[in-house]
Amino acid sequence: MLPACLLLALLLLAPALEAQEERGLIFNLDIGELCLQSAQCKSGCCHRTSGLSLARCASKAAEFQECSPKSIYGVYYKCPCESGLTCDADKTIVGSITNSDFGVCKDPQD
């Protein structure tokens, strides 16, 4: 017999693993749903407004909107840019530690 924690994990993951296109309990989350990591969101951005707020899936930043460079943390105060845009931000180590390395999305072709 399976241990209870393994059985529970399988029950929670089963809906997420059924199909890539369907929303699951853990992955493929829609905008506005609670998240812990950007990998859980369809949009690829798990966003929080402050250090005390709950993180929710959000749209990526469009051209001329504030952005954060992609990070290893997986939760953003400003979402990374949409595909094809770059985040023109100060990418210093101090900015990444203090989470203040925000910039603006720009088209690299311009």
Side-chain angles (χ1 to χ4, degrees), residues 74-86:
V75 178
Y76 298 95
Y77 288 100
K78 307 285 183 193
C79 286
C81 299
E82 294 175 340
S83 181
L85 301 175
T86 59

Side-chain angles (χ1 to χ4, degrees), residues 3 6 8 12 14 17 35 44 54 56-57 62-63 75 77 82-83 94 101 103-104 110:
L6 181 59
L8 179 61
L12 289 174
L17 297 176
C35 55
L54 295 173
R56 294 184 179 273
C57 294
E63 192 170 11
V75 178
Y77 288 100
E82 294 175 340
S83 181
V94 174
D101 56 347
V104 175
D110 291 343

Side-chain angles (χ1 to χ4, degrees), residues 9-20 22-28:
L10 289 173
L11 288 173
L12 289 174
L13 287 175
L17 297 176
E18 281 181 17
Q20 288 286 345
E22 293 181 24
R23 187 183 77 74
L25 293 173
I26 299 173
F27 295 102
N28 288 326

Side-chain angles (χ1 to χ4, degrees), residues 13-81:
L13 287 175
L17 297 176
E18 281 181 17
Q20 288 286 345
E21 299 300 317
E22 293 181 24
R23 187 183 77 74
L25 293 173
I26 299 173
F27 295 102
N28 288 326
L29 301 177
D30 291 320
I31 291 173
E33 293 190 276
L34 294 173
C35 55
L36 296 172
Q37 280 284 336
S38 290
Q40 294 178 278
C41 304
K42 286 181 186 177
S43 67
C45 179
C46 186
H47 171 264
R48 69 174 54 218
T49 55
S50 71
L52 299 176
S53 66
L54 295 173
R56 294 184 179 273
C57 294
S59 299
K60 287 196 172 180
E63 192 170 11
F64 305 117
Q65 288 185 330
E66 282 191 301
C67 59
S68 290
K70 293 198 176 197
S71 79
I72 58 172
Y73 303 120
V75 178
Y76 298 95
Y77 288 100
K78 307 285 183 193
C79 286
C81 299

